[in-house]
Amino acid sequence: MSVKSQFEEAKKEYEQWGIDVESIFGKLKNVPISVHCWQGDDIGGFEINKEALSGGIDVTGNYPGKATTPKELRQDLEKALSLIPGKHRVNLHAIYAETDGEVVERDRLEPKHFEKWVAWAKGLGLGLDFNPTLFSHQKAADGLTLSHPDPEIRKFWINHCIASRKIGEYFGKELGTPCLTNIWIPDGFKDTPSDRLTPRKRLKESLDEIFAVEIDERLNIDAVESKLFGIGSESFVVGSHEFYLSYALKNNKLCLLDTGHYHPTEMVSNKISAMLLFNDRLALHVSRPVRWDSDHVVTFDDELKEIALEIVRNDALGQVMIGLDFFDASINRVAAWTIGTRNMIKALLYGMLLPNGHLKALQEQGDFTKRLALIEEFKTYPFGAIWNYYCEAQNVPVKEHWLDEVVQYEETVLAKRSEGAMLDALERA
């Protein structure tokens, strides 16, 4: 039976519940996912004076074919995006600036250092998002940045964040879609602090100074991101969830929730509806923590489906900006992007194909028996046939056939990179 025939049969089952599958397709294709560039090169970036990865961030594995130039990274992103249904965005960090061989400190970065990224995004019709990079730098070596007791170090990072917001504004102006510029810092202490308040006062003052610089909010959207703990900050993180939630509400900024930045038993899906009551918009970095903030590739698991459901059934697709944040160097990096992004879209589709209005009514009526029964029965409805046809209609490979293209890409592109890197190493030796 063809993909379309299976779809037509499956559609009938959903239509019995008043679910308009074709209308859902029209809505889903307009939901952009912000795909993070740093999966493609293991968060290395392209700084001339590149520092070792730090800030409690670790990438494991040495799968061949890693992007080593901006051109290679964009090529890999294009390949991944060609296998993912819909039109999406790309999320950059400041370390992906292109300075043409010149050493440019992060507090001196300008829009011109991202002109090639903008030209590339224009050609593909993509939006760009941005993040200042407050790790992997000598001025972050002791684990403190915007909350540092040294005012000169604080000022360096304040200026870097201001420069980043201006770059985000440039992206929004050039691409016709606002850029989300998100601030995350690694600041914290390995052991129990003797003073929690003073570092948080300094962080608040730094943020106030950063946001005092006027940026066109129609072009750049500011967000702040919390964390529970990190490597080297196991006992205390300055920018906690409570700190940033309060700061965002008081200062009209977006609170960004990273699904790996909470206690393992704490579900981000449960926070979305509570926060939407008090915030016009939210932002997400969807990851998959395994025992800790390990940033595994997003899979089609229960929490991902619940996150998507909370967005869909609360009509919040226009309020929640969805981005991804994972990195795995033990598998093919193009495949990692493809798997994770397709799963995020798949979860949204799954949520849209539930009789959410009916399920809400059952809860209000106190009919918890029918509610539970229907939720469970819909888990085995022919969702796969609907997803396959959506992919076909969006001109991307159906089922696992996208993997054939990744294998071919590895053989024709990535393998040659690895061979070239090996020859270079031998020559240097």
Side-chain angles (χ1 to χ4, degrees):
M1 190 182 293
S2 69
V3 169
K4 184 170 176 55
S5 299
Q6 292 179 50
F7 165 73
E8 293 295 345
E9 288 300 312
K11 186 170 73 164
K12 293 175 184 175
E13 294 198 42
Y14 287 98
E15 285 177 341
Q16 292 175 10
W17 290 94
I19 297 169
D20 186 342
V21 177
E22 300 284 0
S23 175
I24 286 170
F25 283 176
K27 184 183 295 185
L28 182 60
K29 71 179 183 181
N30 290 317
V31 179
I33 308 298
S34 191
V35 181
H36 56 306
C37 77
W38 49 93
Q39 164 61 69
D41 78 324
D42 308 339
I43 327 179
F46 305 118
E47 289 181 311
I48 306 304
N49 52 346
K50 186 184 297 187
E51 298 280 340
L53 193 61
S54 69
I57 300 169
D58 192 17
V59 180
T60 56
N62 57 354
Y63 199 90
K66 176 175 72 172
T68 58
T69 68
K71 183 178 179 181
E72 289 178 352
L73 185 57
R74 287 190 282 265
Q75 182 183 17
D76 293 352
L77 275 163
E78 279 190 52
K79 186 61 189 178
L81 290 167
S82 74
L83 305 173
I84 297 164
K87 182 68 73 174
H88 301 290
R89 306 175 64 84
V90 168
N91 196 6
L92 299 175
H93 248 283
I95 53 173
Y96 292 89
E98 295 175 75
T99 62
D100 296 325
E102 179 187 356
V103 175
V104 178
E105 266 297 359
R106 294 184 194 173
D107 62 338
R108 303 297 178 186
L109 287 172
E110 300 178 51
K112 67 180 182 181
H113 299 125
F114 294 88
E115 287 176 348
K116 292 177 183 176
W117 281 106
V118 166
W120 173 76
K122 275 184 181 178
L124 295 176
L126 303 172
L128 290 177
D129 295 314
F130 200 62
N131 308 261
T133 307
L134 291 94
F135 53 85
S136 301
H137 193 279
Q138 288 182 351
K139 284 186 168 64
D142 59 1
L144 296 173
T145 60
L146 292 178
S147 69
H148 204 288
D150 184 334
E152 289 188 9
I153 291 179
R154 279 204 312 280
K155 187 63 177 176
F156 174 85
W157 292 115
I158 287 167
N159 288 339
H160 173 54
C161 290
I162 292 170
S164 296
R165 295 177 68 227
K166 291 179 179 178
I167 291 165
E169 183 181 43
Y170 161 69
F171 287 172
K173 182 178 180 180
E174 291 294 317
L175 300 173
T177 175
C179 169
L180 177 71
T181 299
N182 174 58
I183 296 176
W184 173 81
I185 63 173
D187 297 36
F189 297 123
K190 183 177 181 65
D191 218 331
T192 308
S194 54
D195 178 8
R196 292 179 173 88
L197 182 60
T198 302
R200 284 179 170 149
K201 281 184 176 178
R202 287 195 292 258
L203 175 55
K204 179 184 179 300
E205 290 167 0
S206 294
L207 292 170
D208 289 345
E209 190 171 340
I210 290 164
F211 295 130
V213 177
E214 289 192 17
I215 299 289
D216 192 335
E217 295 181 357
R218 297 168 299 178
L219 304 177
N220 180 78
I221 302 167
D222 293 309
V224 287
E225 176 185 357
S226 68
K227 193 168 186 177
L228 176 65
F229 80 98
I231 299 173
S233 60
E234 291 86 354
S235 297
F236 171 69
V237 167
V238 183
S240 65
H241 175 69
E242 294 78 10
F243 176 93
Y244 279 130
L245 178 61
S246 302
Y247 190 91
L249 278 170
K250 189 170 183 179
N251 295 279
N252 195 31
K253 305 300 177 187
L254 264 67
C255 189
L256 186 144
L257 310 178
D258 185 303
T259 58
H261 286 189
Y262 297 88
H263 190 278
T265 62
E266 197 174 2
M267 299 291 101
V268 166
S269 58
N270 191 42
K271 300 179 186 298
I272 293 172
S273 60
M275 292 179 67
L276 284 172
L277 288 171
F278 304 98
N279 297 265
D280 293 332
R281 288 182 295 185
L282 299 176
L284 295 179
H285 274 183
V286 182
S287 183
R288 179 169 57 103
V290 177
R291 303 188 186 279
W292 68 292
D293 178 33
S294 52
D295 291 300
H296 283 58
V297 177
V298 172
T299 58
F300 193 58
D301 60 13
D302 287 344
E303 173 62 357
L304 183 70
K305 286 186 278 189
E306 200 64 27
I307 286 169
L309 258 172
E310 281 295 294
I311 297 170
V312 167
R313 63 187 167 202
N314 294 309
D315 296 322
L317 283 168
Q319 293 175 267
V320 181
M321 303 177 76
I322 305 171
L324 304 177
D325 186 1
F326 53 78
F327 30 90
D328 189 344
S330 71
I331 64 174
N332 183 295
R333 296 170 183 82
V334 175
W337 269 321
T338 307
I339 293 165
T341 313
R342 283 173 68 115
N343 278 331
M344 185 69 247
I345 301 163
K346 193 184 295 183
L348 290 169
L349 177 60
Y350 181 84
M352 292 176 177
L353 288 170
L354 288 178
N356 291 305
H358 186 67
L359 291 169
K360 284 183 180 181
L362 290 174
Q363 179 171 303
E364 289 298 298
Q365 295 160 14
D367 195 339
F368 305 132
T369 304
K370 284 185 181 177
R371 183 189 64 179
L372 179 60
L374 285 177
I375 287 172
E376 292 305 302
E377 290 302 325
F378 264 83
K379 289 179 179 178
T380 51
Y381 262 54
F383 165 72
I386 305 294
W387 165 252
N388 290 339
Y389 184 72
Y390 178 69
C391 288
E392 186 174 89
Q394 291 291 308
N395 298 310
V396 300
V398 173
K399 293 185 177 179
E400 68 277 7
H401 297 304
W402 63 264
L403 191 55
D404 297 335
E405 291 199 30
V406 172
V407 169
Q408 184 182 20
Y409 186 75
E410 182 169 330
E411 291 173 350
T412 58
V413 178
L414 304 182
K416 291 179 181 178
R417 280 185 206 163
S418 300
E419 291 169 6
M422 189 178 297
L423 288 172
D424 288 344
L426 289 171
E427 287 177 7
R428 286 195 300 270

